[in-house]
Amino acid sequence: MLALVGCVVLLGGVPAHAQKGVAGAPLAVCVLRDTGGMDPAALIRAPGRRFDCASEQYRLGPGNYWVISQEIDRFSDPHLPLNVRIASLWQDALTLHILYADGAVVSQTTDSRGIAPLIQLGAIAEQPIPARQAKVVRLLWHVQGATNLRGVLLGARLSTAAESAHANLTMSALYAGFAGLAIALIIYNLALWGALRHRFQLYYCLMVALLLAYTFSTSGALAWAWPEIANNTRLRTNFLLLGGTGTAALVFARSFFEERIFAGWLGRYATVVGCATSGVGLFYFLTAPFAIGLVDAAFTCAFVALSAAVFPLLWRAWRLRSNYLWLFAFAWGAPILTAALRALANLHLIRWSFWIDNSTILAMMIEAVVSSLAVAYRIRLLRDERDDAIEREVMMRRLADTDPLTGLLNRRAFLQQAIGRADEQLLLIIDLDHFKRVNETLGHDGGDEVLRVFARMLRTSVPQGTLVARIGGEEFAILTPIAAPVEAEAVLARLRQMRMPFDIQVTASIGTCRGMLSSEVEWKALYRIADAALFDAKSAGRDRVRNALREAA
């Protein structure tokens, strides 16, 4: 169904600007704007009351900042090393200063890649705290070039190496599960497209592929696969892929639903929003960090507009009785919820959390599964429509050319194909013996089944090119070129061996004649002689063959 669903899920959610780790214990932090000429050693040893611990960080605006942690008072030793984990945010450089109880200050500075070398799964930056004999007192970060759209430094947590490894393992299972599902769905739908050629299958594959690429980037795996990438470039890539996914989702939706659903203003709205979503994503990728606040707001608005399209779409689908409404509504549930939560977080109406940010992946997994069911359901409906059309066509042909009970040619179609043949033909007229008794014994339904069984036997007993027809109640005709005759005795022998309904014994009498069939006159003559031979077979005791040795004139 609307994988659009999935899309929106993620669409609904704005890129993972900040993701908080769940490993370890949280660290409270306070911030101070960098006014220049500040000594980090003096700040970390005697922070005083200069740091702001009460204001929301995002209210302080972009720039350079000092961020200091609460008192730690823990050892980091080789057997139990400590790490500090923080959210991945847009920043040009990050320096960590660590104060130990013995008065030593150890500093770690990022290079031009920013925190990319520190990225863990879940887009968490993890900085190791070197082991010393003395306890760790506090931490001080120097953040340079912070856009501060969500905060200066978010989600600080102090963890052990074991806790960090467990967090990475948990996130790798989550991302790997989604990746495996996405790859399987792409392969499956490409295979279906190769057989069925429905465009919505290709659009679905494109959408899921973009979801997969977005997950690869926003999870932090891109920084592992490409160690030279700067973290800010990875964040820009998130926007680019997410914008493309939003557009692909709308394209898939329009190709999946009935055309009438997107008619009129809703179709135009979807086109504008789809172009805006991918356009703003591309613009963000190319222009960040210039006017990044404005572009980020535009991107959020584009996804809000995309999510808003769901409600008139559902209303129109319900009003026009779309076959896919229930699947679409179910699939969009999780994405719309996560979209709303992330939009509220981006607008600072609720506090950002790691699980709100990563709920996108969970919602995408739900959407991917539901949308795959929707695709299968759509294909089922298309199959049913095709089967209905084929059935109607077959029924029309049967009404015109075949006997509806046995599936053999009817008398009209038989004569149409028989008269005009150039070569000499062999005609067999077959009549079931005492068929009235069969009907009296088995009833008319049982008699009909006997006729069907006998018809199947005739079809499988004659060579290719032979005409087989039911020309009366229990009377059948076989016409074949004299060069490839049908052995009448073999037909009777096979009939004697056939198992009939209720094990009733059924026999037949056959009259044959050969001759030309270039005209209707010749047919009447040939039939009259074969019918006379059939009468002779019945008069002689039935269950036998009589051949007319004369040619029809």
Side-chain angles (χ1 to χ4, degrees):
M1 217 257 54
L2 270 218
L4 169 46
V5 155
C7 250
V8 162
V9 70
L10 99 117
L11 316 185
V14 184
H17 249 317
Q19 298 192 5
K20 301 180 180 180
V22 292
L27 276 177
V29 297
C30 303
V31 298
L32 172 67
R33 181 175 287 276
D34 182 7
T35 57
M38 296 181 174
D39 181 15
L43 283 175
I44 196 171
R45 289 191 175 99
R49 297 183 178 180
R50 290 173 290 181
F51 286 85
D52 186 348
C53 302
S55 301
E56 294 287 353
Q57 294 180 16
Y58 69 88
R59 297 183 183 276
L60 303 178
N64 300 333
Y65 287 90
W66 297 97
V67 181
I68 198 164
S69 74
Q70 67 184 66
E71 299 291 329
I72 294 176
D73 194 33
R74 288 180 62 180
F75 282 103
S76 179
D77 59 56
H79 303 292
L80 194 64
L82 294 178
N83 302 304
V84 60
R85 295 164 65 88
I86 59 175
S88 169
L89 298 169
W90 186 289
Q91 50 197 213
D92 295 334
L94 181 70
T95 302
L96 172 64
H97 305 281
I98 307 167
L99 174 65
Y100 293 89
D102 59 4
V105 176
V106 176
S107 301
Q108 301 174 356
T109 302
T110 61
D111 55 23
S112 59
R113 297 172 294 172
I115 62 172
L118 308 174
I119 289 293
Q120 306 297 308
L121 286 180
I124 302 299
E126 183 176 274
Q127 298 171 283
I129 298 178
R132 289 181 66 88
Q133 296 291 332
K135 287 184 176 181
V136 178
V137 177
R138 69 175 64 91
L139 307 175
L140 176 71
W141 291 269
H142 188 213
V143 182
Q144 296 174 269
T147 59
N148 199 13
L149 294 176
R150 311 288 180 256
V152 177
L153 188 143
L154 296 177
R157 302 180 76 91
L158 196 66
S159 68
T160 64
E163 290 172 331
S164 298
H166 179 75
N168 270 339
L169 184 62
T170 300
M171 296 309 297
S172 65
L174 178 65
Y175 290 123
F178 173 73
L181 178 65
I183 292 171
L185 289 174
I186 291 171
I187 294 173
Y188 174 71
N189 280 278
L190 282 177
L192 284 179
W193 175 80
L196 303 176
R197 300 287 173 170
H198 296 307
R199 282 187 304 171
F200 68 83
Q201 294 171 297
L202 286 181
Y203 297 143
Y204 175 79
C205 290
L206 174 62
M207 191 200 69
V208 174
L210 286 171
L211 286 175
L212 182 59
Y214 170 76
T215 303
F216 184 71
S217 175
T218 194
S219 67
L222 178 61
W224 291 14
W226 186 6
E228 300 305 315
I229 191 174
N231 190 58
N232 288 350
T233 302
R234 184 187 66 82
L235 292 175
R236 290 159 55 197
T237 303
N238 288 352
F239 280 87
L240 179 65
L241 292 173
L242 191 53
T245 304
T247 301
L250 280 177
V251 172
F252 171 72
R254 297 190 67 166
S255 66
F256 185 84
F257 268 102
E258 302 92 339
E259 290 185 9
R260 67 183 188 276
I261 303 300
F262 278 90
W265 71 269
L266 186 57
R268 293 189 294 271
Y269 177 83
T271 300
V272 171
V273 171
C275 292
T277 301
S278 56
V280 174
L282 179 61
F283 188 71
Y284 190 107
F285 180 80
L286 296 175
T287 62
F290 307 107
I292 191 171
L294 182 62
V295 178
D296 182 79
F299 196 83
T300 300
C301 290
F303 276 99
V304 169
L306 181 62
S307 300
V310 174
F311 301 103
L313 179 58
L314 289 175
W315 167 255
R316 180 172 287 184
W318 175 79
R319 189 165 56 86
L320 297 179
R321 301 182 183 278
S322 169
N323 291 318
Y324 317 116
L325 172 62
W326 64 276
L327 276 171
F328 181 81
F330 180 73
W332 273 74
I336 291 301
L337 176 60
T338 57
L341 291 175
R342 296 190 66 171
L344 291 174
N346 288 346
L347 296 173
H348 309 293
L349 298 177
I350 62 174
R351 187 175 297 277
W352 196 270
S353 79
F354 174 83
W355 290 116
I356 287 180
D357 197 51
N358 278 276
S359 63
T360 289
I361 303 301
L362 208 53
M364 285 192 295
M365 293 177 67
I366 295 172
E367 183 282 329
V369 172
V370 177
S371 59
S372 68
L373 295 176
V375 168
Y377 180 67
R378 171 74 186 274
I379 292 173
R380 176 191 169 189
L381 292 182
L382 291 172
R383 181 205 64 192
D384 291 344
E385 292 174 2
R386 179 206 62 194
D387 290 348
D388 289 343
I390 292 174
E391 186 176 350
R392 286 194 298 270
E393 182 180 357
V394 168
M395 288 302 297
M396 291 176 65
R397 287 182 179 178
R398 285 182 175 177
L399 289 173
D401 296 333
T402 65
D403 172 58
L405 177 64
T406 63
L408 301 178
L409 293 174
N410 57 27
R411 184 182 185 90
R412 184 196 62 79
F414 176 78
L415 294 179
Q416 187 178 43
Q417 297 181 43
I419 296 174
R421 293 195 170 195
D423 299 329
E424 189 177 26
Q425 303 291 312
L426 175 65
L427 175 64
L428 286 71
I429 304 297
I430 309 171
D431 190 85
L432 295 179
D433 297 331
H434 302 299
F435 192 71
K436 184 178 179 181
R437 296 180 186 174
V438 173
N439 280 332
E440 291 173 350
T441 303
L442 302 181
H444 287 287
D445 289 341
D448 289 347
E449 182 61 22
V450 168
L451 292 175
R452 281 192 287 266
V453 171
F454 181 64
R456 284 197 298 270
M457 184 273 288
L458 291 181
R459 279 197 299 267
T460 58
S461 301
V462 299
Q464 188 174 4
T466 301
L467 297 182
V468 182
R470 181 187 179 199
I471 57 176
E474 63 269 17
E475 186 174 319
F476 297 81
I478 297 176
L479 185 70
T480 183
I482 200 68
V486 173
E487 295 295 334
E489 290 290 353
V491 172
L492 291 185
R494 188 169 180 185
L495 175 59
R496 296 184 192 108
Q497 297 171 359
M498 291 276 310
R499 184 171 183 178
M500 289 292 179
F502 299 98
D503 291 328
I504 190 172
Q505 185 66 40
V506 177
T507 61
S509 301
I510 302 178
T512 74
C513 188
R514 67 181 192 176
M516 302 299 293
L517 274 177
S518 59
S519 66
E520 186 175 354
V521 173
E522 288 182 334
W523 156 254
K524 289 180 179 179
L526 188 65
Y527 177 78
R528 185 172 60 252
I529 297 172
D531 190 54
L534 173 63
F535 181 77
D536 292 342
K538 286 185 172 292
S539 299
R542 295 182 171 82
D543 191 21
R544 62 199 65 212
V545 178
R546 287 292 182 264
N547 301 301
L549 302 178
R550 310 172 285 163
E551 292 187 357

